[in-house]
Amino acid sequence: MSELIEKGKKAKRASRELARYSRAKKDEILIKAAKALIEKQDEIIAANEKDINAAKESGISGALLDRLTLGKGRIESMAKGLVDIAGLDDPVGEVLFMKKRPNGMTIGQKRVPMGVVGIIYEARPNVTADAFGLCLKSSNVALLRGGKEAIHSNMAIVKVIQSALEECDAPREILQLVEDTDRKVALEMMKLNEYLDVLIPRGGAGLIQSVVQNSTVPVIETGVGNCHIYVDESADFDMASRIVINAKTSRPGVCNAAEKLLVHSSIADEFVPRICAELEAKGVKIIADEKVRDIYPKAEKATEEDWFTEYLDYVIGMKIVGSIDEAMNHISHYGSGHSEAIITNDYSNSQRFLEEVDAAAVYVNASTRFTDGSEFGFGAEIGISTQKLHARGPMGLKELTSTKYIIFGDGQIR
Amino acid sequence: MSELIEKGKKAKRASRELARYSRAKKDEILIKAAKALIEKQDEIIAANEKDINAAKESGISGALLDRLTLGKGRIESMAKGLVDIAGLDDPVGEVLFMKKRPNGMTIGQKRVPMGVVGIIYEARPNVTADAFGLCLKSSNVALLRGGKEAIHSNMAIVKVIQSALEECDAPREILQLVEDTDRKVALEMMKLNEYLDVLIPRGGAGLIQSVVQNSTVPVIETGVGNCHIYVDESADFDMASRIVINAKTSRPGVCNAAEKLLVHSSIADEFVPRICAELEAKGVKIIADEKVRDIYPKAEKATEEDWFTEYLDYVIGMKIVGSIDEAMNHISHYGSGHSEAIITNDYSNSQRFLEEVDAAAVYVNASTRFTDGSEFGFGAEIGISTQKLHARGPMGLKELTSTKYIIFGDGQIR
């Protein structure tokens, strides 16, 4: 039996026991696991050093190496993450409705765990603890497959958490790591329908696309954010500037950062020079259509490809549009359905934008940067879904659950 | 451009217009389409005759031929189906919650259409009108791909409905049929992520598995029902008999029919002969384990394969179990997660069964046959989902929708 199938079987078995745990039991495990991470941080750091050395040898550096590195501070924040999750409400067991049918039968819909959640991720070992915490709190067993660059770190973290599970008399299979980091095994995991109830990729666009393309297990796609801000004719310029600067520059590398700015033609002569100067002062490169370049010649010429691109950098695409319809058509064609904003003081345009723009989050007069589980008040966040099935937008613990119907009869037949 | 891509593009475009329609407009279309089906039934029946003749020539007969055949009665019931859907509440536009965040921003979650729904089905032309009605009422454009056996019927039905759309000044692309019935085209449709938001297979297990295995578009799996009834030690025998007979024999060919009967050992000597006699009187063949056969030797010997099988026929698998745990373990191993029932008068066992059995619908003291959209009070039914993502159990119009977050700000930045 392959490692994967063996672990899949064990995961399925453990999921039945985990489904019976009370919130108190789950929180106890989370707190124990957090303590164990702190107590055994030397083991984790030693394992992490192996990964770091291997990464350096293979020429990895910069942001990738930084993400891989676990210092005392990062381990503490992993532990704090678990403690925070313990503080969140239990999503499982809630009855969403219950009603009596005409034949006297009572039907209820109850929130239940998914069962076994598979997570495929890259070289960020902190995802290991985080994914465990979110899955456990939603009564799901986690089967993780991390990147090979972080294998020693991941193994060490899993070992520490498994020791905490055992201390709490819980099956260690509540958290398992697939240790074979061959790409073939990841592909095999994407077809593991018998043991996995859902598969969540966490990482870059390449990983996510590979999972979407290859998985027969139901996938929750977390995604790309080619987010637009449309500055309408009636916009307050101060507000528009403040929001554009915030959405573009407060953290350019995240999916809810603005990537494109659309400006109504009737205000372009006044607004474009002003926002361009402010963006440039923040180090943002401007790539634009011809109309913008007529007003602001320093801007680079945009290609068709640019309008589709999520830069994740100090770069913005800028375009002048003749109407809200042109803005919405552009967003519909080039957008990724993540977060879209209009800056306006026009009632009817605000309503149309909210109604007609098809995205996970649609804003009037606020920064796209708010598309985030904790900003929305959900506590934890598993990711931001850009698909329409099951979950859309920031996903909290609830999105890691399913439902079942429970029926109380007294002999009813049909 | 292939037919599929062209229709995909048109569907996407039409979905933006449809998203703006009021309930009144949608209901107007449904009523017009229903009328058109009645008025133009001769066209439909003539087209259907071509399909029937072709089917007869290729040797199709029996149930398959019956399903393919559209008489006056069937067309009337298709039309009535559309009128009924017009009477249901509009699922779109409901705001599921709305709250003010500490920074003064208001966040709401609103129910919105999926966009474009793909449906792949077999030789039942009535699905064509039904799928159109459900999609339209949930503001979704439908792209249908029916079986080649029903192609002339489907084309005629689509043409009639498209004429009704045009009469209402609605784009005819709200309903489109993929006319190329080559299997390759179905496979291509399963990868049409750019234009399809969700894909729903409607048909037999083979079709559903093919879609699950090949689709990169998110799928809602409707499914197999290997449903169990467990008769507990404390069961009322009259109630148990009534429910078993109803669940097995009221309509054996449907997914919510019981396929297996598990009986507690302490009541087996009394209950097994009684229920076997009743089942046999209804023409049900009994396939059983050794313990049942010791009591009732006429039963056939069950193979391992039998416990996994959905017979969809006058056949039941019967097994004696030593405890509720053995029953639940059996269900967990062999069940398909559709509908499972316990007949009991024991409080603690009823609670355990409801809590621990992992299925779309879990019953105490009622027939599994109730797992159905209209029995649950949902009005229409698209199918019964046996997956855990997005929808589980009978799916109504709500399950054909997604959500989006709408955010009302006054200049908030992060």
Side-chain angles (χ1 to χ4, degrees):
Chain A
M1 203 182 329
S2 76
E3 180 203 358
L4 195 61
I5 293 189
E6 193 179 333
K7 288 188 170 165
K9 278 193 177 164
K10 285 182 180 166
K12 187 111 191 166
R13 205 177 308 136
S15 76
R16 288 186 63 198
E17 177 158 354
L18 176 54
R20 289 198 294 268
Y21 283 7
S22 65
R23 171 176 178 169
K25 175 85 180 181
K26 295 188 286 185
D27 291 350
E28 180 202 341
I29 295 170
L30 287 165
I31 302 292
K32 273 261 165 57
K35 275 191 193 152
L37 286 173
I38 299 293
E39 280 166 17
K40 298 180 183 169
Q41 58 181 291
D42 293 345
E43 283 176 36
I44 297 170
I45 289 173
N48 185 241
E49 271 166 12
K50 282 193 211 172
D51 288 331
I52 292 171
N53 292 337
K56 282 181 181 163
E57 269 171 40
S58 63
I60 289 171
S61 64
L64 206 63
L65 191 64
D66 177 60
R67 273 183 227 148
L68 183 60
T69 305
L70 291 176
K72 198 170 181 307
R74 286 225 175 130
I75 292 175
E76 275 167 9
S77 88
M78 275 162 51
K80 183 175 176 304
L82 296 183
V83 174
D84 288 348
I85 291 170
L88 296 175
D89 284 345
D90 189 340
V92 169
E94 185 191 356
V95 173
L96 303 174
F97 78 84
M98 189 172 277
K99 64 180 178 192
K100 205 154 198 160
R101 295 293 302 154
N103 68 356
M105 227 168 54
T106 297
I107 296 183
Q109 188 183 30
K110 188 174 162 182
R111 210 179 270 298
V112 298
M114 288 277 183
V116 182
V117 174
I119 298 180
I120 298 188
Y121 55 111
E122 296 177 326
R124 301 180 69 149
N126 59 316
V127 171
T128 309
D130 187 37
F132 158 73
L134 295 166
C135 286
L136 178 70
K137 186 75 190 214
S138 50
S139 300
N140 290 301
V141 162
L143 184 61
L144 309 182
R145 200 274 190 186
K148 69 171 188 304
E149 300 80 4
I151 183 68
H152 295 100
S153 317
N154 289 339
M155 284 169 66
I157 294 166
V158 168
K159 194 178 150 204
V160 168
I161 294 175
Q162 285 181 335
S163 72
L165 285 163
E166 281 175 349
E167 259 188 88
C168 298
D169 288 318
R172 49 191 288 133
E173 290 82 10
I174 285 176
L175 172 65
Q176 290 180 101
L177 178 74
V178 178
E179 294 178 5
D180 187 340
T181 57
D182 193 315
R183 197 181 130 72
K184 265 192 249 164
V185 177
L187 286 168
E188 205 188 322
M189 188 166 167
M190 297 177 205
K191 314 272 182 201
L192 206 63
N193 296 54
E194 199 179 345
Y195 304 113
L196 292 183
D197 293 291
V198 58
L199 191 58
I200 305 176
R202 288 183 66 168
L207 171 72
I208 290 165
Q209 274 315 304
S210 162
V211 172
V212 169
Q213 291 302 317
N214 293 298
S215 183
T216 53
V217 177
V219 169
I220 301 180
E221 184 176 352
T222 57
V224 169
N226 182 22
C227 306
H228 297 74
I229 296 178
Y230 165 56
V231 181
D232 193 26
E233 208 172 358
S234 63
D236 176 298
F237 287 1
D238 287 341
M239 185 196 286
S241 290
R242 197 166 67 237
I243 289 174
V244 170
I245 295 297
N246 177 264
K248 180 68 257 179
T249 69
S250 64
R251 217 176 147 195
V254 293
C255 61
N256 57 22
E259 299 289 359
K260 301 295 178 314
L261 176 60
L262 308 176
V263 180
H264 192 283
S265 54
S266 71
I267 57 165
D269 283 338
E270 198 179 341
F271 186 68
V272 166
R274 171 184 173 164
I275 192 69
C276 287
E278 288 189 47
L279 285 163
E280 290 211 322
K282 290 276 188 180
V284 178
K285 183 164 107 179
I286 297 160
I287 295 179
D289 74 345
E290 283 309 320
K291 288 182 189 160
V292 169
R293 295 177 77 220
D294 286 345
I295 301 172
Y296 193 78
K298 274 171 70 188
E300 265 182 44
K301 190 169 155 41
T303 63
E304 172 72 5
E305 189 53 29
D306 275 305
W307 303 117
F308 286 108
T309 305
E310 184 189 26
Y311 300 114
L312 296 173
D313 203 349
Y314 285 90
V315 180
I316 197 163
M318 201 180 300
K319 186 183 165 72
I320 291 172
V321 292
S323 64
I324 185 175
D325 288 281
E326 193 185 338
M328 293 196 298
N329 285 336
H330 182 93
I331 291 169
S332 166
H333 187 73
Y334 296 102
S336 61
H338 193 293
S339 301
E340 310 294 355
I342 185 174
I343 317 299
T344 190
N345 197 32
D346 184 280
Y347 172 75
S348 146
N349 286 356
S350 71
Q351 292 294 311
R352 282 196 62 198
F353 197 86
L354 286 173
E355 187 78 18
E356 296 178 33
V357 171
D358 187 24
V362 187
Y363 292 84
V364 178
N365 296 344
S367 171
T368 55
R369 291 275 291 109
F370 287 109
T371 305
D372 173 275
S374 49
E375 293 295 330
F376 276 17
F378 302 162
E381 180 186 289
I382 295 107
I384 295 171
S385 164
T386 50
Q387 71 180 31
K388 293 185 185 172
L389 215 63
H390 185 72
R392 196 176 190 202
M395 296 185 288
L397 288 169
K398 265 201 317 197
E399 280 72 25
L400 279 178
T401 63
S402 180
T403 57
K404 72 178 174 194
Y405 289 103
I406 51 176
I407 297 99
F408 301 82
D410 50 10
Q412 281 81 359
I413 59 170
R414 186 176 168 190
Chain B
M1 202 183 330
S2 75
E3 180 203 358
L4 194 61
I5 293 189
E6 193 181 332
K7 288 188 171 165
K9 278 193 177 163
K10 285 182 180 166
K12 187 110 190 167
R13 205 177 309 135
S15 76
R16 287 185 65 198
E17 178 161 352
L18 176 53
R20 291 197 293 268
Y21 283 8
S22 65
R23 171 176 178 169
K25 174 86 179 179
K26 296 188 286 184
D27 291 351
E28 181 202 340
I29 296 170
L30 287 165
I31 302 294
K32 274 259 166 54
K35 276 191 192 151
L37 287 173
I38 300 293
E39 282 166 17
K40 300 179 182 169
Q41 57 180 294
D42 294 344
E43 284 177 36
I44 297 170
I45 289 173
N48 185 242
E49 271 164 14
K50 282 193 211 172
D51 288 331
I52 292 171
N53 292 337
K56 283 180 181 163
E57 269 171 39
S58 64
I60 289 172
S61 64
L64 207 62
L65 191 64
D66 176 61
R67 272 183 227 148
L68 183 59
T69 306
L70 290 176
K72 198 171 182 305
R74 286 227 175 129
I75 292 176
E76 274 166 11
S77 88
M78 275 162 51
K80 183 175 177 304
L82 296 183
V83 174
D84 288 348
I85 291 172
L88 296 175
D89 284 345
D90 189 340
V92 169
E94 184 191 357
V95 173
L96 303 174
F97 78 85
M98 189 171 278
K99 64 182 178 189
K100 205 153 198 161
R101 296 292 304 153
N103 69 357
M105 226 167 54
T106 297
I107 297 183
Q109 189 183 28
K110 188 174 163 181
R111 209 178 274 295
V112 298
M114 288 277 182
V116 182
V117 174
I119 298 181
I120 297 187
Y121 55 111
E122 296 177 327
R124 301 178 71 147
N126 59 316
V127 171
T128 309
D130 187 39
F132 159 73
L134 295 166
C135 287
L136 177 70
K137 186 75 189 215
S138 51
S139 299
N140 290 300
V141 161
L143 184 60
L144 309 182
R145 200 277 189 186
K148 69 171 186 304
E149 299 81 4
I151 184 68
H152 296 101
S153 317
N154 289 338
M155 282 169 67
I157 295 167
V158 167
K159 194 178 152 206
V160 168
I161 295 175
Q162 285 180 336
S163 71
L165 285 162
E166 281 175 349
E167 259 189 87
C168 298
D169 288 317
R172 50 192 287 131
E173 290 83 10
I174 285 176
L175 172 65
Q176 290 180 102
L177 178 74
V178 178
E179 294 178 6
D180 186 340
T181 58
D182 192 314
R183 197 181 131 75
K184 264 193 246 163
V185 177
L187 286 167
E188 205 189 322
M189 188 167 167
M190 298 177 204
K191 313 272 183 202
L192 206 63
N193 296 55
E194 199 179 344
Y195 305 112
L196 292 183
D197 293 291
V198 58
L199 191 58
I200 305 176
R202 287 182 67 166
L207 172 72
I208 291 165
Q209 274 315 304
S210 161
V211 173
V212 169
Q213 291 303 317
N214 294 299
S215 182
T216 53
V217 177
V219 170
I220 301 181
E221 184 177 350
T222 57
V224 169
N226 182 20
C227 306
H228 297 76
I229 296 178
Y230 164 57
V231 181
D232 195 26
E233 205 171 359
S234 62
D236 176 296
F237 286 1
D238 287 340
M239 185 196 288
S241 290
R242 196 166 67 237
I243 289 174
V244 170
I245 295 298
N246 177 262
K248 180 67 257 179
T249 69
S250 63
R251 215 176 148 194
V254 293
C255 61
N256 58 22
E259 299 289 359
K260 301 294 176 316
L261 176 61
L262 309 175
V263 179
H264 192 283
S265 54
S266 71
I267 57 166
D269 283 337
E270 196 178 343
F271 186 68
V272 166
R274 169 182 173 165
I275 193 69
C276 287
E278 289 190 46
L279 285 163
E280 289 210 322
K282 290 276 188 179
V284 177
K285 182 164 109 180
I286 297 160
I287 296 180
D289 73 346
E290 283 309 320
K291 288 182 190 158
V292 169
R293 297 177 75 221
D294 286 346
I295 301 173
Y296 193 77
K298 273 171 68 189
E300 263 183 45
K301 190 169 153 45
T303 64
E304 172 71 5
E305 189 55 27
D306 275 305
W307 304 117
F308 286 109
T309 304
E310 184 190 27
Y311 300 114
L312 296 172
D313 203 350
Y314 286 89
V315 179
I316 197 164
M318 200 180 299
K319 186 183 164 71
I320 291 172
V321 294
S323 64
I324 184 175
D325 288 282
E326 194 186 338
M328 294 195 299
N329 286 336
H330 182 93
I331 291 169
S332 165
H333 187 72
Y334 296 102
S336 61
H338 194 293
S339 301
E340 310 293 355
I342 184 173
I343 316 299
T344 190
N345 197 31
D346 185 281
Y347 172 75
S348 145
N349 286 356
S350 71
Q351 291 293 311
R352 283 195 61 199
F353 197 85
L354 285 173
E355 186 77 20
E356 295 178 33
V357 171
D358 186 24
V362 187
Y363 292 83
V364 178
N365 296 345
S367 170
T368 55
R369 290 276 291 108
F370 287 109
T371 304
D372 173 275
S374 50
E375 293 295 329
F376 276 17
F378 301 163
E381 181 187 289
I382 296 107
I384 295 171
S385 164
T386 50
Q387 70 179 33
K388 293 185 185 172
L389 215 63
H390 185 72
R392 197 175 190 205
M395 295 186 288
L397 288 169
K398 265 201 318 197
E399 281 71 26
L400 279 178
T401 64
S402 181
T403 58
K404 73 178 173 192
Y405 289 103
I406 51 176
I407 298 100
F408 301 82
D410 51 10
Q412 282 81 359
I413 58 171
R414 186 174 168 191

